[in-house]
Amino acid sequence: FPGAGHVAFVGADRVVKDGGSFGFGGSIPLEKATGAEVLLAFSMNGQPLRPEHGAPLRVIAPGYIGARSVKWITEIHVTAAPSDNYFQQGAYRLFPPDVTADTADHAAGTMLGEIPPNAVITTPAGGAVLAAGRTTIRGYALGGAEIARVAVSVDGGKTWQDAALRASTSPWAWRLWELDADLRAGDHDLAVRAYDTAGRTQPEDLRQVWNIKGYVNNAVHRIRIAARP
Amino acid sequence: FPGAGHVAFVGADRVVKDGGSFGFGGSIPLEKATGAEVLLAFSMNGQPLRPEHGAPLRVIAPGYIGARSVKWITEIHVTAAPSDNYFQQGAYRLFPPDVTADTADHAAGTMLGEIPPNAVITTPAGGAVLAAGRTTIRGYALGGAEIARVAVSVDGGKTWQDAALRASTSPWAWRLWELDADLRAGDHDLAVRAYDTAGRTQPEDLRQVWNIKGYVNNAVHRIRIAARP
């Protein structure tokens, strides 16, 4: 209908706050909601949806923060503006690193929705001690826009090599990656960063994305490992 | 129709390459093409479109690289895959910083489309000499996703302040910003970086985005100015 801009969901889980009570809720833009990837799910892996996953009906909004995939849906509204639910308007906002709990103006933070590109090293684990020589570094990457490239460093970010990407199953699914590296004996600072199809990548330094709520931290993932002779 | 994924455009401007001749062309995803912001334009500012702007008919695809806003349209195709035109498949691909003209595999680069967040300081100009004291720093920001925040540094990136944003006229229009700063006498390294609604920002260092084709450079914009006593 004219003016429709967002689709808002309300769930059955009650929230008690400031003396009132309301259902958890949130919204996504209409343009996102009408994408083929956004689902109202009533089953999973061929089985009826289980209560802890949001039965009887939940949203799946891939590429968006999890809070927008509202569970136990009781209401769906097509609206002009984003949901007026506390979890859309008050919580889940991103603040600059210098904003503290005392100075935060919750109307001023960025209302979160789409997620930034991110990547994680899953193998080896941080602190692992490996045999020097050939090893395979593995992990996953994901983002609100499709991941196009993953670069890995074994020298703390001085040089980077492109990882091999497994086939894409969906623009919003985890993109698995791996890199064969030859590690000399000694300590190694491993790092990974993903790039999306617009060339957007992750910040080098956690301090660039630090925020009081701890949201959407996508600083380059770094681990230290040791290789013994 | 089933399988439709992209909308491809061909223009009347002929390209002679490798002994053949073809029209300049490119494509955008169907999801983008059906957005209200994408236009087939035949007029501009109430006047018929002029030849240099693509008359009689051109694409306007805001938030995408300019090459996808094909001018002088002669053909439109709805296709399963991106356009097979050289300017979609061969040119306008993004390579990592270490790829050279000799090593570039053009099928491996990232096919460009949506643009990353970017921001420019327009006032003062680089190299300007101002009177010390209060001055207003101004510029614009833009991106494929809406700009949510612009941060400005007057100390080379050590500290950042949020700029005031003018009202948004469209998620894809230039977002004008300004910051009042108090500059002591001496040299000042000014820098600006934009953040989009997913919290994505610009790389700190040009070396992170350097590429052989010179595409989509969105490293933090830096200028040096001087303030005299």
Side-chain angles (χ1 to χ4, degrees):
Chain A
F1 66 90
H6 300 261
V7 179
F9 307 97
V10 181
D13 44 336
R14 304 297 294 179
V15 178
V16 177
K17 189 174 164 59
D18 300 334
S21 155
F22 55 93
F24 178 92
S27 60
I28 57 178
L30 181 62
E31 188 174 55
K32 176 69 179 178
T34 53
E37 75 277 15
V38 174
L39 305 178
L40 293 176
F42 51 83
S43 75
M44 187 169 94
N45 297 337
Q47 301 293 322
L49 199 62
R50 292 173 56 93
E52 65 268 33
H53 287 300
L57 195 66
R58 70 168 298 178
V59 184
I60 299 285
Y64 269 53
I65 62 166
R68 306 309 178 218
S69 287
V70 176
K71 294 173 171 175
W72 312 292
I73 297 174
T74 57
E75 300 172 36
I76 301 176
H77 303 268
V78 178
T79 55
S83 167
D84 60 5
N85 193 283
Y86 167 75
F87 293 94
Q88 185 77 33
Q89 295 293 338
Y92 299 114
R93 284 187 182 255
L94 184 63
F95 295 96
D98 61 315
V99 170
T100 65
D102 289 338
T103 63
D105 169 8
H106 282 265
T110 300
M111 184 183 283
L112 288 168
E114 194 176 322
I115 56 171
N118 214 338
V120 173
I121 301 169
T122 55
T123 308
V129 180
L130 314 175
R134 205 82 178 161
T135 194
T136 303
I137 303 164
R138 291 191 172 84
Y140 66 88
L142 79 167
E146 188 165 9
I147 298 302
R149 183 162 80 89
V150 172
V152 175
S153 175
V154 296
D155 57 12
K158 284 196 277 293
T159 62
W160 297 84
Q161 295 170 260
D162 276 8
L165 302 184
R166 296 275 186 87
S168 172
T169 54
S170 149
W172 300 277
W174 282 9
R175 193 76 190 264
L176 302 180
W177 56 263
E178 57 184 57
L179 180 80
D180 287 327
D182 197 12
L183 300 179
R184 54 159 183 69
D187 287 343
H188 297 273
D189 288 314
L190 272 47
V192 64
R193 70 191 312 173
Y195 295 77
D196 70 18
T197 49
R200 294 174 295 223
T201 188
Q202 306 174 225
E204 294 266 298
D205 190 328
L206 180 59
R207 288 171 292 190
Q208 294 173 11
V209 287
W210 188 94
N211 64 91
I212 47 166
K213 306 292 288 281
Y215 292 147
V216 290
N217 167 18
N218 73 329
V220 166
H221 185 213
R222 300 173 188 276
I223 63 171
R224 173 166 287 187
I225 63 166
R228 54 177 163 63
Chain B
F1 66 90
H6 299 263
V7 179
F9 307 97
V10 181
D13 45 336
R14 303 297 293 179
V15 178
V16 177
K17 188 172 167 56
D18 300 335
S21 154
F22 55 93
F24 178 93
S27 61
I28 58 178
L30 181 64
E31 188 174 54
K32 175 71 178 177
T34 52
E37 75 278 15
V38 174
L39 306 178
L40 292 175
F42 51 84
S43 75
M44 186 169 94
N45 297 337
Q47 302 292 321
L49 200 62
R50 292 174 55 93
E52 65 269 34
H53 287 300
L57 195 67
R58 71 168 297 177
V59 185
I60 299 286
Y64 269 53
I65 62 166
R68 306 306 178 222
S69 287
V70 176
K71 294 173 171 176
W72 312 293
I73 296 174
T74 57
E75 299 172 38
I76 300 177
H77 302 269
V78 178
T79 56
S83 167
D84 60 6
N85 193 282
Y86 166 76
F87 293 94
Q88 185 77 34
Q89 296 293 339
Y92 299 115
R93 282 187 183 256
L94 183 63
F95 295 97
D98 61 315
V99 170
T100 66
D102 290 338
T103 61
D105 168 8
H106 283 264
T110 299
M111 184 182 283
L112 288 169
E114 193 176 322
I115 57 172
N118 214 339
V120 174
I121 301 168
T122 55
T123 307
V129 180
L130 313 174
R134 206 81 177 159
T135 193
T136 303
I137 304 164
R138 290 190 172 85
Y140 66 88
L142 79 167
E146 187 163 10
I147 298 301
R149 183 162 80 89
V150 172
V152 174
S153 175
V154 296
D155 57 12
K158 284 195 279 293
T159 63
W160 297 84
Q161 296 170 261
D162 277 8
L165 302 184
R166 296 274 187 88
S168 172
T169 55
S170 149
W172 300 277
W174 282 9
R175 193 75 190 265
L176 301 180
W177 56 263
E178 58 184 56
L179 179 79
D180 287 328
D182 198 11
L183 300 180
R184 55 162 180 68
D187 287 342
H188 296 274
D189 288 313
L190 272 47
V192 64
R193 70 190 314 173
Y195 295 76
D196 69 20
T197 48
R200 293 173 296 221
T201 188
Q202 307 175 224
E204 294 265 298
D205 189 328
L206 181 58
R207 288 170 292 188
Q208 294 173 11
V209 286
W210 188 93
N211 63 92
I212 49 168
K213 307 290 289 280
Y215 292 147
V216 291
N217 168 17
N218 74 328
V220 165
H221 185 213
R222 300 172 188 275
I223 63 171
R224 173 166 288 188
I225 64 166
R228 51 177 165 63

